[in-house]
Amino acid sequence: FAYVERVIRLLELDDIADCLVGDPDSGSGISLAQRKLLSIGVEIVAKPKILFLDEPTSPCGEAASFRIISILRRLAVEEELTIILSLHQPSSLLFDQIDRLLLLVRGGHPVYFGDIGDDAHTLINYFERNGAPKCPPTANPAEYILDVVGASDIDWPQAWRDSPELHSTLVEIDRINQTCRAECTFDLADSARRFARSHTYQFHLVARRMLLMYWRNTDYLMTNLALQLIGGLVLGLAFLQIKSGTGGLLQMTYACFMAACLCVFTANQVIPEFIRQRRVFIRESATNQYGAAAFVCSCVAIELPFLVSTSTIFFVVFYFMTGFSTTSARVAFFWLQYIVLAIHSLTLGQAMSAISKTESVAAMLSPLATTVFALYSSALIPVDMLPGVWRYTLRWLSPYFYWLEAVVSDQLHNIQVRCRPEELFTFDPPANMTCGEYAGEWVKSAIGYIDNLDSASECRYCPYRVGDEYYQSFSWEYTHRWRNLGILLGFIAANIVITALAIKFIKYSRR
C-alpha cells in the first residue's frame, strides 16, 4: 500500500484520494482529467516496464492536457518507466514534452523514428534537410510535420529508408538486444502465469471492493428493501389469514405461487448493477488484474448477505400474515426454500445480464424466462392439460414447479381439511337409505369425506379429507421436498456456470 500512496502523490491526486469516482454520465464524482490520471495510476501500480497510452489527453482542455503530459514525463524520469503514447493534434507546449517520435503515414509506413530535440530542432532539421520547406519560427512543430508529410510530393517513407538516421537507429536496436541477451534474466515460470496472484487472493480483494461499492450504493439497497417489504405487505393483505376448507387450499397454493413470481423483481433489480460491474471487469481484465472466476464469485457472494436479509423481511411479513403453519419445522423449511428461490432469481438475473449486451435486452429476457417457469409450474395449468411435449420438457425445467411442490406439500401434509358449508357438495340418497349406507363404501376408497353419514337426505360431501389429497391432484409428492431443494441448488449452480462462461467468452465491449 505504500507504493500505491506513492503513485497517488506522483499523479498529484492526494486531494481526491478518498473521493468517490462517480458516474461520468451524471456528472458526479471526479473530473475528466482526474479520471484519466486514475486510469493511468491503475496501470502503474502493477509496475509495468512499458506503459502504452492511447490519446491520454483527449478530450481534455489545454491546461488539463499539459498537466497530464507533465505528470507522465515526471513518472518516466522518477520511475524509470518507458511510456509510449499517441497524441491527437498536440500543441507545441505538449509536443515539447515528448522525447522521441515515431511518425507513420497511411499503410503503417514509418517516416521518422528518433529524438525530437530541444524545441523540436532535431526533427525539423531532418525534414528540412530532405527537401521540406523551412519551418516558421512561430509554427507548431507537430502541425508543421503533418503538413509537410501530407501535402508534399516527396516519398517520405523512401527518404527514411535511405537516411543515416535509420541506420543509426537499427544499430542502437541491435546494441540493446545484445545487451539484453547478455545481462537480462527472465523467470520463465513467472512469465507463463497469467495472473500475479492466486484465485483465492483475487476473490478476496475483488469481493472486498464490491462490498464497499454496494454499501455506498444506498439507492440499490433501499430499493431492494422496499420491494421486499411492500411485496410482503401486498401479498399478505391479499391472502390475509387464509381460512380452512377447499378454498383455503387453493388460496395457499396461489399465495405461494405469487411469492415465487415476486422473485422476478429480484432478478430485474440486479441487472443494472451487474452490467455496471461488468464494464469495470472488462476494463480491468484486459490487463489480467483478475479473472472471470473471481469476478463472478464476488458478484454472487456480495449479494447474498443483502439478499438473505431482505428476503427474510419478506418472509416474516408474508408468512405470518397469511396464517401458514406455525410449526417450527415447517416455518424453517419454508424460509429455507424461499431463500434458495431468491438466490436462484438473483443468479438468473446475473446470467441474463451476462449473455446480454445491454440492460434493456437483459430486462426483456429475465421476465420471459420467469413467465415460462410460472406457466409450467403446474399451478396455472394442470399437468394433465399440458401438451405431451411440454409436459415432459418445460415442466421439469421450471424451478417454480419444484419450489411449489416442496412448500405446498410441506404445509398441507397430514393437515385435516374441514369444508365450510358453502363448499360442500350435496346429494340425496335413495329412499329408506342413509348417506352412510348409500355412499359409505365408496367414500372409504375415494378421497374426501361425507359430513353427515347418518342423514337420510342432503348428504354433504367434502372433496378432500386431508391436505395430501389436494396437492396430489397436481402430481406433487411430500417425499420430494428435500429432493426439490437439491434440484433448486442445481439450478443455481447452472446459472452461475452460464454467467461465468458468458463473462469469459462473450465480449460485447473491450473499453
Side-chain angles (χ1 to χ4, degrees):
F1 293 104
Y3 182 71
V4 173
E5 294 293 334
R6 181 185 175 190
V7 171
I8 292 175
R9 289 193 297 272
L10 287 172
L11 295 175
E12 299 179 2
L13 297 176
D14 310 67
D15 54 332
I16 62 165
D18 297 321
C19 293
L20 294 177
V21 176
D23 184 6
D25 296 332
S26 63
S28 62
I30 61 180
S31 67
L32 179 60
Q34 291 167 337
R35 292 176 190 273
K36 293 278 186 178
L37 291 172
L38 174 61
S39 298
I40 294 169
V42 169
E43 304 300 327
I44 292 175
V45 293
K47 297 183 179 180
K49 299 297 182 183
I50 302 176
L51 182 63
F52 292 89
L53 301 174
D54 182 21
E55 297 188 10
T57 60
S58 299
C60 300
E62 181 67 24
S65 298
F66 182 74
R67 180 192 176 195
I68 293 173
I69 295 299
S70 299
I71 291 174
L72 288 175
R73 185 172 181 83
R74 186 165 69 249
L75 284 170
V77 174
E78 296 186 14
E79 298 297 314
E80 298 181 353
L81 177 64
T82 299
I83 300 177
I84 300 175
L85 53 84
S86 62
L87 290 176
H88 179 66
Q89 295 181 336
S91 65
S92 56
L93 203 60
L94 296 183
F95 197 70
D96 193 48
Q97 300 292 317
I98 308 301
D99 295 318
R100 297 174 68 85
L101 172 70
L102 171 61
L103 180 62
L104 304 175
V105 295
R106 187 182 299 275
H109 301 291
V111 170
Y112 181 83
F113 181 39
D115 293 335
I116 293 178
D118 294 336
D119 295 327
H121 285 316
T122 304
L123 175 65
I124 293 172
N125 288 339
Y126 168 79
F127 281 96
E128 290 179 347
R129 190 172 69 250
N130 285 277
K134 200 165 186 64
C135 179
T138 58
N140 181 350
E143 295 180 357
Y144 164 75
I145 60 174
L146 291 177
D147 292 338
V148 166
V149 172
S152 175
D153 295 332
I154 300 173
D155 188 354
W156 289 107
Q158 185 60 44
W160 170 249
R161 287 192 290 269
D162 298 336
S163 67
E165 284 82 1
L166 173 60
H167 176 72
S168 61
T169 300
L170 294 176
V171 170
E172 177 66 13
I173 292 174
D174 289 338
R175 186 192 64 80
I176 294 173
N177 288 337
Q178 291 174 5
T179 302
C180 186
R181 293 190 191 99
E183 300 179 1
C184 297
T185 58
F186 298 97
D187 187 347
L188 296 179
D190 185 66
S191 62
R193 293 169 54 192
R194 181 181 177 186
F195 303 110
R197 304 302 294 266
S198 67
H199 291 289
T200 304
Y201 188 84
Q202 294 174 36
F203 168 75
H204 172 72
L205 288 186
V206 175
R208 188 171 66 177
R209 184 185 68 175
M210 281 191 183
L211 180 62
L212 181 60
M213 294 173 65
Y214 274 75
W215 184 252
R216 288 169 170 171
N217 192 354
T218 54
D219 290 343
Y220 178 72
L221 299 179
M222 291 299 104
T223 302
N224 279 334
L225 176 61
L227 177 66
Q228 296 292 344
L229 180 59
I230 294 173
L233 287 172
V234 170
L235 290 184
L237 291 172
F239 298 96
L240 186 63
Q241 295 301 309
I242 297 174
K243 298 180 175 63
S244 61
T246 57
L249 299 176
L250 188 63
Q251 279 188 304
M252 178 175 290
T253 303
Y254 279 105
C256 295
F257 174 75
M258 291 305 301
C261 291
L262 186 69
C263 288
V264 68
F265 296 110
T266 300
N268 275 3
Q269 190 75 13
V270 77
I271 288 173
E273 188 65 24
F274 184 87
I275 290 182
R276 186 170 71 90
Q277 296 286 354
R278 185 179 65 179
R279 296 192 195 104
V280 178
F281 166 75
I282 291 173
R283 183 178 68 247
E284 296 178 341
S285 64
T287 54
N288 291 333
Q289 295 183 33
Y290 54 90
F295 171 73
V296 174
C297 292
S298 298
C299 286
V300 176
I302 295 307
E303 288 274 7
L304 289 182
F306 305 109
L307 180 69
V308 172
S309 301
T310 55
S311 298
T312 301
I313 292 174
F314 168 85
F315 161 77
V316 171
V317 174
F318 165 78
Y319 190 89
F320 293 103
M321 287 184 69
T322 51
F324 282 9
S325 173
T326 55
T327 305
S328 58
R330 290 179 173 177
V331 173
F333 184 78
F334 191 99
W335 174 84
L336 178 62
Q337 285 280 0
Y338 186 76
I339 294 298
V340 172
L341 183 67
I343 295 173
H344 168 266
S345 298
L346 166 72
T347 55
L348 176 67
Q350 292 177 337
M352 296 297 102
S353 303
I355 65 177
S356 303
K357 185 175 183 179
T358 62
E359 294 180 17
S360 57
V361 174
M364 289 187 292
L365 290 178
S366 181
L368 178 62
T370 52
T371 300
V372 173
F373 295 159
L375 283 174
Y376 295 96
S377 64
S378 297
L380 295 179
I381 306 175
V383 175
D384 295 338
M385 296 180 64
L386 288 174
V389 63
W390 305 129
R391 187 185 308 171
Y392 299 108
T393 54
L394 292 180
R395 175 196 175 201
W396 300 109
L397 294 177
S398 171
Y400 292 178
F401 166 74
Y402 299 101
W403 189 78
L404 285 173
E405 181 182 28
V407 296
V408 173
S409 64
D410 184 72
Q411 289 289 318
L412 298 182
H413 179 59
N414 285 339
I415 296 297
Q416 296 295 319
V417 178
R418 302 306 300 175
C419 287
R420 297 194 298 274
E422 62 271 16
E423 296 173 338
L424 294 168
F425 295 91
T426 60
F427 61 92
D428 291 322
N432 302 321
M433 293 186 69
T434 64
C435 296
E437 294 171 340
Y438 174 65
E441 292 300 321
W442 169 80
V443 82
K444 290 179 182 179
S445 59
I447 63 174
Y449 65 94
I450 295 177
D451 185 51
N452 53 343
L453 291 173
D454 297 330
S455 176
S457 63
E458 291 190 356
C459 304
R460 297 190 297 269
Y461 171 71
C462 180
Y464 302 112
R465 182 183 295 108
V466 290
D468 306 66
E469 296 175 342
Y470 166 77
Y471 64 70
Q472 285 172 356
S473 64
F474 293 92
S475 299
W476 294 344
E477 294 294 337
Y478 174 75
T479 54
H480 293 168
R481 296 172 306 139
W482 293 105
R483 182 209 68 172
N484 290 3
L485 180 63
I487 293 175
L488 283 176
L489 294 175
F491 277 112
I492 293 172
N495 290 338
I496 295 174
V497 170
I498 292 172
T499 304
L501 293 176
I503 288 295
K504 185 174 180 63
F505 296 109
I506 301 178
K507 306 294 183 183
Y508 287 116
S509 173
R510 296 185 180 274
R511 293 182 65 87

